[in-house]
Amino acid sequence: MKFHSLGIAFISSAAWFCTIIELSYSSEASANPASDHSLKNVRISQPSSTLANLRDFQKSLTDARLLQFDFSSTSDNTVEIAQESQAPDSQAPDSAAEEEGEEIIGVEKLQKPTSTPVYTIDSDEIRRESSDSLAEILRGLPGFAVNDVGFGADIHTGTFYRGASINQSVFLLNGRQIGSNVNIYHGGTDLNSIPTGAIEQVELSSGTAATLYGSEAIGGVVNVVTKKGTGLPQFNGFAQLGSFSSSNYRGSYSGSFGDVNYLLSYQRFKADNDYRVPVGAANRGLDGRLFNGDSTQDNYYGNLSFDLGDRNSVSLDVSTVTSRRGLLYFGFPLQRDRLDHDTVNVGLTWKALLGNGQDSTLNTTLSFNQDYFSTYGPTQTTFFRRGILNSRGLNARVEHNWQTSKTNNLRWGVDLQNSLLNGEAFSTLPRLARFNGEFDRDRIQAALFALNTWQITNNFQAEFGLRQNFTSEFGSYLNPSVGARWALSSGLALRGSWVSVHRNPGLDQLYAFDTVHNWLPNPDLKPEIGSSWTAGLDVQLAKSFAAQFTYFGSRLNDRIAVQSGQWTNVGLVNTNGIEAALRWQVSPQWSTFVNYTYTDAKIGSGAERGLQLSTIPFSVARFGIGYASNGWEVNLYANYFSGARRALFTLANDNPREFSPSWISFDLGLRIPVTRGLGLTVFLENLADRSYEKVNRIYQPGLTYRIGLVSDF
């Protein structure tokens, strides 16, 4: 199948229309949380079309819902516009309806770009899937192949979105960047060290979102939205114990006084992960058990927000993560290195309504982000090595969200970032002693961005974006983007996007020696430059059934990788794939979903031309079916992984063209109400009780359990 030709043909056709429909949704919370929830009714922005995206129901889905898809997310950047066909007096909001979460008749929302899907998973889904880390959350979303997750999670195995690595996507915390662009000493964005207790929801977008948040978003943009306090003081607690000495404790206290809202939370996760693994597995100790696979994380989070009159608000949030864990090195017989990872993130946001109306919003953000990595330990007892990286980022962002007319929205602004990196390399091995020493580098980046969304007719909408980047090392460069959506009928829509992408080498890849892997830096590295695109079809066959199909592709020149022990530009990589997401609300109590992703990430030049990128599977899939009634919940999941190429840290007799075996696993989640405000949770993973190779000699244990109590007072 010629995926690339298929996508180009669709985008070329869609460009004739240059517009798409704007869709919006609403939800109505049930007055009794223990009762069953009914389906939402379809709501759209114009009366002439009834097409909805996957999150399109008038009321909340049942408690059995397994995953939310939101293609027009209700973010803080939403600007409400009056529908032209309504009478003036109908535009006044009804406060009662607004409090219940209903959409106000006569008011529609021009949301985030809709030429690509925006998938959303909220805190209820996170709890339902018993996710202990951001990595576990993302593995349930379409497009993601998350190898570094769960028991025996290893940073080397990677996290990929549409074939792009973790540093080829943009990660945000409440709309501001938290990615360090660190690539050595296991210093990438460690999704297993980001606990779930303070997360309200996770949003995944792509396409023209790169204009708003960074041209390095080759794969996409992940935005982690944290919780905020409101209402009467409330305590929430959770305690969970599981297999291999795993434990997860978290608690939060939130509320408000006057115009001030607050939330404080703490979470601690710990696991020994000393389960039995077969001969040939990574880090198999003399007793036949996994060695050095333990992990501990402590997370503190606080949020304070308050209103300054009717048209201004200020919020401050602070989070810290302390992570201590062992490291696994694929096929190496026994690895003893340890990783200490400490993070601090502070963000201050001011939001203001400009003028006298509701059509102009100014968001200003100042933030500081620090990631401190220390990797140390011997592979044998005869020597010692240590690598330290201290990455800091000072960021400022100003964005103006302006509804210039009833059919046109403009989001424009400026990003400023000062990145600083210092560290140390040390080894007692004489042959590496010449690389011992410290380094200190910095980079200044700035960008002007603008994304215009134009709804020309009821059924056509177009997006046009420009991001002009300036850097202290690589000069300036312009990255445009376009998107379009066309509603063919009330149940069918076409969409497409194209974006120019550009990722600069990390400061560590340019200047820091990695004494753990013995990788040399390369100050002559060039940026990764290319483009990515999507073409998709949204189908709404009934109010209770929706499907979404997306072709995605990218072409990336000068991809950066390690070759012969040094970072280098290895050449061209072409990626093409298909993403499918289906959901069906069978009845008020029963719901089901299916996600499937096929990724063909081929090396386009060099000695490995024509081979799939290592550790990226061709196919991943996830199926779920859930039942909920009167506080009882049962959720069954099936997971499929097609296997991935073994090409990094292979053993002497390994073939780097060899693939790990495919596997399928089944998980079961239960929630049992005990008393009002108290519930028992049970999660059983790998019901078949069969150990299997997750990726490149990292093994999943047999049947495991997690049992917990959740309170809400």
Side-chain angles (χ1 to χ4, degrees), residues 155-177:
I155 293 173
H156 297 89
T157 53
T159 295
F160 303 95
Y161 180 55
R162 295 177 176 173
S165 68
I166 196 166
N167 281 337
Q168 292 171 331
S169 290
V170 173
F171 286 82
L172 309 173
L173 180 65
N174 296 324
R176 59 181 187 271
Q177 284 204 32

Side-chain angles (χ1 to χ4, degrees), residues 30 84 117 195 219 449 483 486 499 510 519 534 554 654:
S30 173
E84 188 172 7
F449 61 87
W486 175 33
V499 58
L510 293 167
W519 291 344
T534 66
S554 65
D654 286 346

Side-chain angles (χ1 to χ4, degrees), residues 266-319:
Y266 169 73
Q267 179 172 357
R268 178 178 178 84
F269 173 81
K270 187 179 186 299
D272 289 345
N273 291 328
D274 56 345
Y275 52 88
R276 292 194 174 275
V277 292
V279 175
N283 272 40
R284 186 179 190 267
L286 296 177
D287 59 356
R289 294 180 176 274
L290 183 70
F291 174 84
N292 205 40
D294 60 287
S295 179
T296 302
Q297 290 97 35
D298 291 277
N299 169 252
Y300 293 89
Y301 170 76
N303 176 273
L304 186 68
S305 61
F306 51 93
D307 295 332
L308 301 175
D310 296 333
R311 304 182 66 80
N312 293 269
S313 65
V314 175
S315 66
L316 172 69
D317 61 82
V318 180
S319 65

Side-chain angles (χ1 to χ4, degrees), residues 593-614:
F593 76 88
V594 177
N595 297 331
Y596 172 77
T597 303
Y598 174 86
T599 305
D600 185 304
K602 288 292 178 59
I603 300 172
S605 60
E608 294 186 329
R609 181 176 180 178
L611 296 180
Q612 178 85 342
L613 286 175
S614 64

Side-chain angles (χ1 to χ4, degrees), residues 512-574:
F513 173 68
D514 184 346
T515 189
V516 175
H517 302 94
N518 299 335
W519 291 344
L520 293 170
N522 185 351
D524 297 322
L525 286 175
K526 296 181 290 185
E528 297 174 330
I529 298 174
S531 59
S532 61
W533 53 86
T534 66
L537 180 69
D538 297 335
V539 180
Q540 184 78 39
L541 299 181
K543 293 181 179 180
S544 60
F545 179 85
Q548 188 168 31
F549 306 93
T550 302
Y551 158 77
F552 60 86
S554 65
R555 180 181 176 87
L556 194 63
N557 295 298
D558 294 320
R559 190 178 193 273
I560 299 174
V562 174
Q563 193 171 75
S564 301
Q566 184 178 32
W567 290 103
T568 186
N569 295 104
V570 298
L572 174 68
V573 173
N574 290 310

